[in-house]
């Protein structure tokens, strides 16, 4: 009976040993599966990180390109501003030159009017005399105010300002020049001369 019991114990013990070995192999399989899943997940995470790094690098390139374009645009803007300042200065200088030339042309045309008026005065008094040589009786024959007659005289300040000896101008040119005369006293006297020479006021 004892041997049978011992045998039974041996069988039980052997069965128990076999069962312990099976449990160990199951644990190994579970660990291998876990490790395999971990490595796969790690690989996927690393792949995503690489994709993110690539995207960040591409964005960095775009940012650098935009910054370069922005810098170029700022430089172009500064250049345009400088060019604009230069053009404004040139335009102001040109406007001054135009104003000077316009005044000179006006004086030239006005000198023509003075010459025309002097010819007509000579016709009225039937003699070629300087204005200061005219007698009071001759001056009374001239239908002009004294200021306009004085303007015709050789050596008058206005005549000297014209600074031209001989030239011609059309009626229209003279009319336009009178309208642009800034000195009101000169303009009124010139209007009288225009009416005297051409028989009509400049406004007609």
């Amino acid at each position: 009976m004892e041997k049978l019991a011992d045998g039974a114990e041996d069988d039980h013990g052997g069965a128990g040993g076999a069962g312990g070995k099976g449990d160990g192999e199951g644990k190994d399989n579970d660990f291998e599966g876990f490790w395999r899943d971990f490595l796969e997940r790690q690989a996927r995470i690393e792949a995503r990180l690489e994709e993110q790094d690539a995207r960040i690098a591409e964005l960095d390139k775009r940012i650098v390109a935009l910054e370069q374009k922005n810098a170029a645009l700022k430089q172009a803007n500064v250049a345009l501003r400088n060019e604009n300042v230069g053009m404004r200065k040139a335009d102001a200088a040109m406007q001054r030159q135009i104003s000077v030339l316009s005044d000179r042309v006006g004086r030239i045309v006005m000198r023509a009017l003075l010459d025309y008026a002097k010819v007509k005065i000579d016709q009225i008094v039937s003699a070629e005399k300087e204005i200061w040589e005219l007698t009071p009786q001759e001056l009374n024959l001239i239908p002009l105010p004294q200021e306009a007659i004085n303007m015709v005289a050789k050596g008058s300040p206005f005549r000297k300002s014209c600074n031209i000896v001989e030239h011609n101008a059309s009626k229209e040119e003279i009319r336009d020049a009178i309208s642009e005369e800034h000195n009101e006293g000169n303009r009124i006297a010139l209007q009288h001369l225009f009416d005297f020479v051409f028989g009509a006021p400049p406004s007609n």
Side-chain angles (χ1 to χ4, degrees):
M1 293 295 294
E2 291 179 358
K3 290 181 180 181
L4 180 60
D6 291 340
E9 288 177 2
D10 290 341
D11 292 340
H12 181 73
K21 184 177 180 180
D23 292 340
E25 290 178 355
K27 291 180 179 179
D28 290 340
N29 291 334
D30 291 341
F31 178 77
E32 288 178 0
F34 169 79
W35 183 250
R36 189 166 48 252
D37 291 340
F38 173 78
L39 292 178
E40 290 177 356
R41 291 178 182 177
Q42 185 70 16
R44 287 195 295 270
I45 292 173
E46 290 179 355
R48 290 180 181 178
L49 289 175
E50 289 179 358
E51 290 179 0
Q52 293 293 338
D53 289 341
R55 291 178 182 176
I56 292 172
E58 182 64 25
L59 289 175
D60 288 340
K61 289 181 181 179
R62 293 182 181 179
I63 291 172
V64 171
L66 289 174
E67 288 177 347
Q68 291 175 347
K69 288 182 179 180
N70 188 38
L73 288 173
K74 286 183 178 180
Q75 292 178 352
N77 188 39
V78 171
L80 287 174
R81 287 180 180 273
N82 293 336
E83 184 179 354
N84 190 36
V85 171
M87 291 179 66
R88 287 182 181 275
K89 290 181 179 179
D91 181 64
M94 184 175 294
Q95 290 297 330
R96 289 193 296 269
Q97 292 178 354
I98 291 173
S99 178
V100 171
L101 290 175
S102 177
D103 183 67
R104 288 179 180 177
V105 170
R107 295 295 174 175
I108 291 173
V109 173
M110 288 301 95
R111 176 59 188 276
L113 177 61
L114 298 179
D115 291 343
Y116 296 157
K118 180 61 171 62
V119 171
K120 193 158 186 177
I121 290 173
D122 292 343
Q123 292 173 350
I124 291 174
V125 300
S126 300
E128 293 186 7
K129 293 182 178 181
E130 296 299 336
I131 297 300
W132 62 80
E133 296 176 334
L134 297 176
T135 65
Q137 293 78 12
E138 291 172 329
L139 288 173
N140 289 334
L141 297 174
I142 304 170
L144 287 172
Q146 190 61 47
E147 293 80 5
I149 295 175
N150 293 339
M151 188 177 284
V152 176
K154 182 183 293 185
S156 71
F158 185 81
R159 191 182 185 95
K160 286 182 177 179
S161 70
C162 296
N163 198 27
I164 296 294
V165 178
E166 292 182 0
H167 45 270
N168 299 312
S170 68
K171 179 180 177 180
E172 290 73 19
E173 289 173 331
I174 294 173
R175 181 177 56 209
D176 293 341
I178 290 175
S179 66
E180 295 176 1
E181 172 60 41
H182 301 296
N183 186 290
E184 184 177 1
N186 288 344
R187 187 171 60 254
I188 293 173
L190 290 168
Q191 288 173 349
H192 285 294
L193 290 173
F194 186 95
D195 190 19
F196 173 65
V197 171
F198 297 105
S203 57
N204 290 349

